[in-house]
């Protein structure tokens, strides 16, 4: 069970991600990639009703950040042409508390297994929480940096 | 620094929430409430560029869940007329890993302080992570349960 002692917060996985995408291909395959989230049997009942939502938030532990220290400033996507940006203004994996967050499409639930699309997590990633996504999580007109809009804007 | 030992994951706060809303009024004041997120001086540089985003994700530690045990099935909003629902299909605070998540409007940054709207966290809540919100987090047509649509749909 979670505890807070001496300013430390302890969490335990509630399940794991399964997919067959090589780790170095996860970022560019995000939009199409399909994963399975296998929730521990113990918590299966806590999924009751999730299938009525089309989209869910998945919080996961980015257990392979690949760096011993957190740099506070990074170039997004490792691209030196992009401005030096704080880790809290970026979605980089290497952050003080490497908790990953994705909005995933929920394709199917079968017992303790969720089939999802758009979850950019590596095979074997520990899952910390699932939350339903609703209208109040959707903001249609958002401001983003110029470099982001130029490269990534949906249109 | 975060560590994973024996299946336990350890996190440390990167800052705290400040507001003057009484805790029992937070849920119904969400849409209008203004808070300040005070990031530890040590991590101030990690906010560089955040002010170019209009919306941010705030991950926080729900340190006052008010229950010793997690019920897997709950009535949303504590309302017995609503169907028994799994905690992962609900946004209830009392969950296996009580990490809160809000999409907040970023009104202003001043150094290590962020003024935000729509963050439904109590005064004093430890903050775990800040991430920028972008087009790919926004889904306009989502399915939700009938009870949710009847009570809460934006339009």
């Amino acid at each position: 069970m979670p505890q807070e002692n001496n300013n430390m917060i302890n969490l335990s996985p509630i399940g794991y991600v399964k997919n067959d995408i090589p780790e170095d291909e996860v970022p560019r395959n995000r939009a199409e990639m399909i994963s399975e989230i296998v929730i521990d049997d113990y918590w299966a009942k806590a999924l009751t009703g999730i299938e009525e939502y089309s989209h869910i938030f998945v919080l996961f532990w980015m257990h392979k950040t690949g760096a011993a220290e957190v740099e506070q400033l990074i170039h997004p996507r490792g691209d030196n042409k992009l401005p030096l940006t704080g880790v809290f203004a970026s979605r980089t994996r290497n952050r003080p508390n490497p908790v990953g967050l994705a909005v995933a499409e929920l394709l199917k639930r079968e017992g303790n297994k969720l089939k999802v699309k758009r979850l950019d997590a590596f095979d074997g990633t520990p899952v910390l929480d699932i939350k339903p996504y609703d209208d109040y999580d959707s903001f249609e007109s958002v401001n983003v940096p110029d470099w982001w809009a130029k490269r990534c804007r949906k249109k």
Side-chain angles (χ1 to χ4, degrees), chain A:
Chain A
M1 286 296 95
Q3 298 171 302
E4 184 177 5
N5 290 319
N6 301 324
N7 228 18
M8 284 298 264
I9 291 165
N10 299 319
L11 307 178
S12 295
I14 53 140
Y16 290 86
V17 173
K18 276 179 67 175
N19 63 49
D20 56 8
I21 317 288
E23 294 181 1
D24 58 349
E25 293 180 21
V26 165
R28 69 173 171 276
N29 280 295
R30 176 171 188 188
E32 294 308 319
M33 73 183 269
I34 306 280
S35 298
E36 194 173 67
I37 300 173
V38 183
I39 298 294
D40 294 349
D41 287 335
Y42 179 83
W43 290 113
K45 215 167 33 166
L47 292 171
T48 303
I50 193 87
E51 58 278 2
E52 296 187 54
Y53 289 90
S54 57
H55 293 71
I56 56 174
F57 285 116
V58 183
L59 274 67
F60 51 98
W61 179 245
M62 297 189 288
H63 62 315
K64 295 188 174 177
T65 57
E69 286 210 13
V70 175
E71 299 284 343
Q72 298 211 31
L73 293 169
I74 52 113
H75 292 286
R77 293 139 201 264
D79 182 344
N80 292 337
K81 291 193 288 294
L82 297 180
L84 267 178
T85 299
V87 290
F88 297 141
S90 119
R91 299 284 277 259
T92 183
R93 290 172 185 272
N94 193 25
R95 36 204 321 118
N97 292 310
V99 175
L101 171 65
V103 183
E105 272 177 65
L106 178 56
L107 304 177
K108 194 162 72 170
R109 176 191 167 197
E110 273 183 2
N112 67 326
K113 298 192 179 77
L114 303 178
K115 189 175 167 191
V116 296
K117 196 170 169 183
R118 301 186 65 83
L119 171 58
D120 57 339
F122 299 153
D123 183 43
T125 295
V127 174
L128 301 176
D129 199 9
I130 307 277
K131 298 180 196 287
Y133 181 100
D134 65 45
D135 300 24
Y136 291 90
D137 301 307
S138 176
F139 293 86
E140 293 172 29
S141 304
V142 297
N143 296 339
V144 294
D146 286 344
W147 68 261
W148 197 99
K150 274 184 202 139
R151 288 211 182 187
C152 318
R153 189 119 251 178
K154 274 183 183 173
K155 70 204 146 259

